[in-house]
Amino acid sequence: MRKTLLASLATLAVVPALAACTENASPDSESGDARTLAVASTKDACDVSAKTAPAGTISFDVSNTGSDVTEFYLLAEDGLRIVGEVENIGPSLTKTLTVTVPEGEYVTACKPGMVGEGIRADFKVTSSDEKVTVSADEAELIEQATNNYRAYVQDQTSQLLVKTKEFVELYKAGDSDDEARALYPVAREHWERIETVAESFGDLDPKMDAREADVDFAAGEKWTGWHAIEKDLWPARAEKYAAWTPEERATYADDLLANTVELDKRVQATGTGALEYPLDAIANGSRGLLEEVATGKVTGEEEFWSRTDLWDFQANVDGARIAFEGVQPVLETKNAELAEQLTTRFTELNELLDGHRKGDGFVYYDELTKDDVDQLAAAVNTLSEPLSHLTAAVVS
Amino acid sequence: MTTGAAKVSRRGLLGGGIGVGAVAGVAGAFVAGRGTADEDAAAAVVSSYAFRGERQAGIVTPAQDRLHFVALDVTTEDRDELIGLLQQWTEAAERMTQGGSAGPVGPVRGATDVPPDDTGEAIGLPASRLTITFGFGPTLFRTTDGKDRFGIADQRPEALEPLPHFRGDIDDPARSGGDICIQACADDPQVAVHAIRNLVRMGFGVTAVRWSQLGFGRTSTTSTSQSTPRNLFGFKDGTANVKAEEAQALAEHVWVGKDDDQASGWLTGGSYLVTRRINMTIEVWDRQPLGDQEQFVGRTKDAGAPLSGGDEFTDPDFELPGRSGPIIPTDAHVRIVHPDQNDGARMLRRGYNFVDGSDDIGGLNAGLFFIAYVRDPRTHFIPVQRQMASSDALMEYLKFTGSALFAVPPGVAAGEYVGQGLFG
C-alpha cells in the first residue's frame, strides 16, 4: 500500500461531503449503458457523451486527448462541492471516475493543465428506480472517525514511549535481561498497532524497525533499532555472534529512545505540523496492517531471534480492527453487508489467536505446529480479501 | 543463421516450423487479445540457432518462451577432467541445438546392455530454437577458502566478485552462486529440460548441481520483432530493454570490451550474467487497488504507457507535475531503474516468470527469475539494484531469494570448446 498518511488538501477533497447510499442496486440493463459516459478532454474542450444520466452508480471514462495532464470533476449544483474527481490523467491515457449520485443538477469539469476552474458544463441526473438517498450526517461521521483515530494513534505512541524508556533502562542495566526480554514484545505492541503510521516516517522506520536482511551493510548502512537489540538479547540462533559491550548497549538503546521521542513528537504535533487522517488513509491503514501480518508475522520472519511474532500479529490485527471500526459507521451507510462480513472475520481471526495465548502473552512462534500456521494464514487471507475493498467502499 | 535437419536427427522432423506452431498454441492464452501473434510468429520462422559463432547464442537471441537454468559446483580438482567435460558439453550442445541427440549415438540406437547416451524425452521434438549458454562463477577461479584449483585465479576478471547482500535479500547459499552456469532456453519446456538433464548427467564426477530454476513466459523482449510480455504482477516488463538490433547499445552496455580488464582477455566479446530469484508476494499484491499498482510501477496496466502519457514506447517524463508531486511518483519502479536515474546504465534483461508450486502457507511460490547481461556488474547492475532496494515502491511485494553472477565467455569458433580462451 502507499505509505503516506500526510494528506494534502487535494486528498481531503476526495472525501465526499455527502453520502450517497444505494439501495436495490440491481444492474438495470436498460439504463446500464446510460450510466456509462465517455469524456474527451482536449486542450480547450470537455466533451461529455451525454448531458444526462439516470440516478445511481455512474461511470465517466475520461480520455485525455490533449497534451497536458488533465483532471475531471463532477461538482454539485453550486459548482463548489466535489462529488467525485479523477486526477493525474496523462496525455493519451484514460481513467475512470465511478460515483454514486442521486437525482439533481450537477456540473462536469475538465481541468487540462490542472489549473483554474476548468471547462465546465451542466449535467443532469434524472430520477430512476435506483433509490439513492443522501444522509446529511456523513460529514459528522467522517469527522468523528478522523478524531477517534488520531486519538488512538497518539495514545499508542505515548504508551510506546513510556515502555521504551523502561525497556532501555532494563537493557542498559546489564543485570536485568530477563525483564528486558519480557518487556520487549509488550512494548513493541504499541509500535505494531500503528505500524502503518510509524512507517510513513521514512527516516525513522529504517532506524527503528529494520530487520537484518533489510540493511545494506555493503553500502555502509548501520543496523539499529528494535531488532538489532533483539538479536543481542536472544543470540541463540545467531552464528559467531559477539555480544555487545555495556557501551555498545547504551549507544543502541539511547538511539532507539531518541527516535521514539521523535516519533511521538511528530504524532502529537498540532497546528501546521499536525498529521491528517483522511478517511481513505484510515481504511488503507487497516488493510496495510493485515499486509504486514501476511508478509512478516504469519511466516515468523519479523521476530527471528525472539520468536515473539504472535505479539506483533495480535497488535497488527488490533490496529487494523480499530481503524476498521473507526470507519465502520460510514461503511454501514454504504455497504452494510461488507461491514458485517468484516466484523465477523475480525472476530474469527481474534478467536484463533486467543487459542495461542499463554500467561499474559502468547506462545513463541516455534511452538506453533504447521497446522496452526496454516490456519492462521488462511484466516489472514479470509479477512484480507474483503478488507481490500474497504477504502473504495467508504469513500464511494 | 539457421540450419535444416541435423545429421543425426533424434526427432524425425525436418526443420522446426511445425513444432513452433504447436508451441504457439501453448502460449495461446497468453497471446490472445494482444493482437501481436504475427510478430511472435515472425520470430518463430527460425527453427534453430547455431551453437557456434562470434557470441554465445541465448543472449541477444529473441527470447524463447521457456527456461531451464542450472548452477553447478565443480567437484574435481583435476584441470584436465574439467576441460574434458567442457569439450563434451560443447559437442552435446552443438548437437542438441540442431535437434540432435545429447550423446553421439542417441536414445535408441545404442547397445541394449548399456544405458543410452541420450535420455530420450526429446524424441520426435524439433530443435524448438534451443540455445545453450555457459558462464563461469567467481568460485571457479578461487574457492571461498582461497584455493586456485585450476590455475586460473590470475585470469579472474576483477568485476567477477560474488554480488553483495542488498537490502531485502534473503541470502540462501543453496540458491545462490555456483562455479558454472548453463542457461537453456527453448520454445518447448521439454526440450530445455532435456538439454539440462543430459548436460548435468555428463558432468557427474566433475560437477554437481548446486541449484536450478525452471521458467516460463519470457518477461523481456530482446528483439524489436517481439511484443512485450507480462510478468506475474500483470504488468508489461522489459519495454525499455536493450534490443538485439541496437548494435551501439550492445557494445556500450552488454559486451565486454577488449580494454575492459587486462587480466582477462579471454572474456573480450563476452558478457556478465546476473541472476536474481525474485519471489513476489502474489496474494498481497493482488489486493492492491489498480490505481496503486500503476503508481508503484509508474505505467498503466493496460497498455504499459508511462503515467506521464503516450503509449508503451513513449519516453517517461519524470518532470511532468501531477496533482501532488510528479505524475510518475518518486518511488515508481520505472523511475528508480531508468537509465536517466542510473548514469545511463542499461541492461539486456532476459528474465522468466516462475511458479514453483506453493509455499509453506499455501501462497504461490512464484515470481520473476531475473536474468540480465551486462558489460560490467559494478557499473550496470549493483548501483541500480542498490537504488531499487532502497527506494522502489515494488520492494514491499518482493523477496530476493537467490543471487548469482557469472562471466559469460564469447562465442565458440569452429574446432574450439566453450571457455577455451580461459583454459587453452
Side-chain angles (χ1 to χ4, degrees):
Chain A
M1 58 168 280
R2 274 253 161 270
K3 287 186 181 174
T4 166
L5 267 166
L6 313 175
S8 65
L9 285 175
T11 325
L12 289 171
V14 178
V15 183
L18 279 176
C21 148
T22 314
E23 293 164 21
N24 317 325
S26 56
D28 175 348
S29 58
E30 259 192 277
S31 52
D33 280 349
R35 293 198 181 93
T36 303
L37 296 103
V39 180
S41 171
T42 64
K43 184 166 162 256
D44 46 19
C46 182
D47 297 322
V48 185
S49 61
K51 294 285 168 214
T52 167
T57 301
I58 303 174
S59 294
F60 296 90
D61 294 327
V62 187
S63 302
N64 181 4
T65 50
S67 52
D68 291 324
V69 178
T70 193
E71 299 171 337
F72 177 77
Y73 294 82
L74 183 67
L75 303 160
E77 192 176 10
D78 62 8
L80 296 173
R81 185 172 63 79
I82 298 168
V83 180
E85 59 153 355
V86 59
E87 300 176 335
N88 288 339
I89 312 170
S92 42
L93 301 185
T94 300
K95 282 193 181 181
T96 303
L97 168 67
T98 303
V99 62
T100 305
V101 277
E103 180 185 355
E105 300 292 332
Y106 295 87
V107 175
T108 55
C110 294
K111 235 185 241 189
M114 304 181 294
V115 290
E117 63 166 20
I119 302 159
R120 297 183 171 215
D122 290 338
F123 188 82
K124 192 181 179 72
V125 176
T126 57
S127 72
S128 74
D129 47 13
E130 268 192 43
K131 292 279 178 289
V132 184
T133 53
V134 173
S135 110
D137 56 8
E138 186 182 349
E140 205 175 308
L141 291 179
I142 292 173
E143 192 180 357
Q144 212 167 32
T146 300
N147 291 341
N148 290 348
Y149 193 69
R150 178 185 293 109
Y152 175 73
V153 175
Q154 291 177 335
D155 178 48
Q156 290 302 317
T157 56
S158 60
Q159 290 195 57
L160 175 70
L161 183 56
V162 169
K163 287 192 178 138
T164 305
K165 274 184 185 147
E166 199 182 330
F167 171 77
V168 300
E169 288 313 315
L170 291 169
Y171 175 63
K172 277 163 43 172
D175 59 358
S176 47
D177 281 5
D178 282 346
E179 288 95 324
R181 279 189 278 261
L183 185 57
Y184 172 87
V186 177
R188 278 184 52 77
E189 279 177 340
H190 302 292
W191 167 279
E192 294 288 348
R193 281 182 188 139
I194 55 158
E195 188 168 19
T196 45
V197 178
E199 275 187 345
S200 67
F201 301 113
D203 56 336
L204 294 178
D205 178 49
K207 293 183 199 165
M208 298 173 73
D209 197 36
R211 293 172 314 182
E212 197 164 12
D214 300 330
V215 183
D216 188 343
F217 294 98
E221 284 182 7
K222 279 188 65 151
W223 185 30
T224 61
W226 282 106
H227 295 298
I229 295 172
E230 176 203 2
K231 185 177 181 179
D232 195 52
L233 281 170
W234 281 275
R237 300 179 81 192
E239 287 173 20
K240 298 181 198 161
Y241 181 74
W244 283 339
T245 62
E247 293 72 31
E248 283 171 321
R249 279 193 173 208
T251 306
Y252 284 91
D254 292 345
D255 176 71
L256 175 64
L257 183 58
N259 287 323
T260 310
V261 169
E262 176 61 20
L263 173 72
D264 185 56
K265 196 175 97 188
R266 293 185 198 180
V267 166
Q268 310 294 347
T270 53
T272 50
L275 298 184
E276 296 284 359
Y277 298 97
L279 199 62
D280 58 338
I282 300 173
N284 277 334
S286 181
R287 173 168 63 92
L289 285 163
L290 257 287
E291 281 174 25
E292 297 288 343
V293 174
T295 52
K297 280 72 176 189
V298 80
T299 53
E301 289 170 80
E302 178 77 11
E303 304 290 358
F304 182 84
W305 312 103
S306 66
R307 319 310 285 136
T308 56
D309 301 86
L310 285 187
W311 279 261
D312 296 0
F313 193 140
Q314 179 69 62
N316 279 161
V317 173
D318 289 345
R321 184 179 49 83
I322 296 288
F324 159 66
E325 285 172 357
V327 301
Q328 196 175 354
V330 180
L331 184 65
E332 302 278 7
T333 65
K334 309 199 174 197
N335 189 337
E337 204 179 331
L338 179 61
E340 191 186 351
Q341 186 182 41
L342 288 171
T343 306
T344 308
R345 293 189 177 181
F346 266 114
T347 306
E348 287 167 355
L349 179 55
N350 274 319
E351 283 169 357
L352 199 56
L353 278 167
D354 286 343
H356 301 295
R357 286 184 180 276
K358 192 174 174 182
D360 293 340
F362 291 89
V363 299
Y364 292 111
Y365 187 83
D366 41 16
E367 294 176 71
L368 295 171
T369 63
K370 163 116 179 66
D371 198 34
D372 293 335
V373 174
D374 285 348
Q375 282 184 5
L376 287 166
V380 169
N381 281 332
T382 304
L383 170 58
S384 298
E385 280 302 322
L387 201 59
S388 69
H389 294 275
L390 176 64
T391 309
V394 296
V395 303
S396 64
Chain B
M1 67 172 270
T2 64
T3 58
K7 259 202 317 258
V8 187
S9 177
R10 63 177 183 228
R11 301 167 183 183
L13 266 180
L14 302 184
I18 303 164
V20 171
V23 171
V26 174
F30 182 68
V31 173
R34 293 188 307 168
T36 52
D38 286 353
E39 302 166 18
D40 288 353
V45 170
V46 176
S47 59
S48 66
Y49 294 109
F51 177 71
R52 295 180 187 275
E54 187 194 357
R55 319 266 185 210
Q56 288 198 63
I59 303 174
V60 297
T61 310
Q64 306 90 322
D65 208 50
R66 304 290 179 147
L67 165 83
H68 194 183
F69 191 99
V70 67
L72 304 128
D73 285 333
V74 179
T75 52
T76 182
E77 300 208 346
D78 184 325
R79 182 183 160 108
D80 292 339
E81 280 183 359
L82 178 55
I83 290 172
L85 177 62
L86 291 170
Q87 288 167 331
Q88 205 186 343
W89 274 350
T90 301
E91 290 160 21
E94 191 169 17
R95 275 190 296 270
M96 289 191 286
T97 52
Q98 305 316 303
S101 57
V105 179
V108 292
R109 302 234 170 111
T112 54
D113 57 355
V114 293
D117 67 8
D118 179 294
T119 50
E121 71 271 31
I123 293 173
L125 297 176
S128 304
R129 298 195 300 135
L130 172 69
T131 56
I132 298 174
T133 317
F134 295 88
F136 301 134
T139 44
L140 184 70
F141 296 82
R142 203 182 276 288
T143 58
T144 38
D145 48 18
K147 214 165 178 181
D148 178 10
R149 293 173 291 176
F150 309 110
I152 53 174
D154 57 349
Q155 294 186 77
R156 186 184 64 85
E158 210 179 314
L160 192 66
E161 285 275 355
L163 291 172
H165 166 94
F166 298 98
R167 189 186 295 181
D169 281 11
I170 296 164
D171 299 313
D172 180 357
R175 279 198 181 280
S176 298
D179 291 343
I180 295 179
C181 74
I182 310 174
Q183 169 195 283
C185 299
D187 289 323
D188 183 339
Q190 183 116 340
V191 170
V193 169
H194 169 263
I196 294 295
R197 173 180 170 185
N198 282 273
L199 295 171
V200 165
R201 182 185 175 206
M202 289 172 196
F204 287 132
V206 182
T207 56
V209 172
R210 184 176 175 89
W211 55 269
S212 72
Q213 183 67 54
L214 281 168
F216 65 92
R218 61 182 173 85
T219 60
S220 276
T221 40
T222 50
S223 165
T224 51
S225 67
Q226 295 180 293
S227 58
T228 315
R230 290 180 186 270
N231 61 28
L232 293 180
F233 281 154
F235 278 76
K236 289 187 176 182
D237 201 335
T239 297
N241 212 9
V242 178
K243 304 280 201 300
E245 293 77 4
E246 301 179 83
Q248 181 60 42
L250 290 170
E252 194 179 334
H253 299 288
V254 179
W255 306 126
V256 174
K258 66 174 170 37
D259 301 324
D260 286 10
D261 189 330
Q262 298 304 331
S264 45
W266 62 271
L267 190 57
T268 300
S271 188
Y272 289 91
L273 163 57
V274 177
T275 69
R276 307 266 292 159
R277 187 172 185 272
I278 310 174
N279 271 79
M280 297 171 167
T281 46
I282 298 281
E283 294 72 21
V284 175
W285 173 263
D286 292 343
R287 291 175 195 133
Q288 304 308 310
L290 174 61
D292 287 14
Q293 293 184 12
E294 294 184 332
Q295 296 261 307
F296 298 147
V297 176
R299 294 183 177 275
T300 63
K301 197 164 190 175
D302 178 8
L307 296 184
S308 52
D311 61 24
E312 185 193 343
F313 296 102
T314 307
D315 283 336
D317 179 347
F318 296 119
E319 305 303 310
L320 189 69
R323 171 51 75 176
S324 37
I327 199 160
I328 297 178
T330 50
D331 60 356
H333 178 69
V334 68
R335 175 191 294 269
I336 300 291
V337 299
H338 197 271
D340 291 358
Q341 316 285 320
N342 292 284
D343 290 335
R346 294 176 68 192
M347 311 175 194
L348 188 146
R349 285 168 292 153
R350 222 175 178 285
Y352 286 84
N353 297 321
F354 70 85
V355 175
D356 294 344
S358 300
D359 63 21
D360 291 347
I361 53 171
L364 266 190
N365 180 356
L368 173 68
F369 186 69
F370 173 94
I371 295 177
Y373 286 90
V374 294
R375 180 175 176 175
D376 187 335
R378 294 166 302 184
T379 51
H380 283 65
F381 175 75
I382 291 170
V384 183
Q385 177 64 52
R386 193 159 273 158
Q387 193 59 29
M388 182 174 168
S390 66
S391 36
D392 193 320
L394 286 181
M395 286 299 289
E396 191 78 7
Y397 307 95
L398 303 175
K399 287 178 180 172
F400 293 76
T401 50
S403 188
L405 176 67
F406 303 95
V408 176
V412 188
E416 283 188 352
Y417 63 88
V418 68
Q420 189 165 331
L422 174 61
F423 290 96

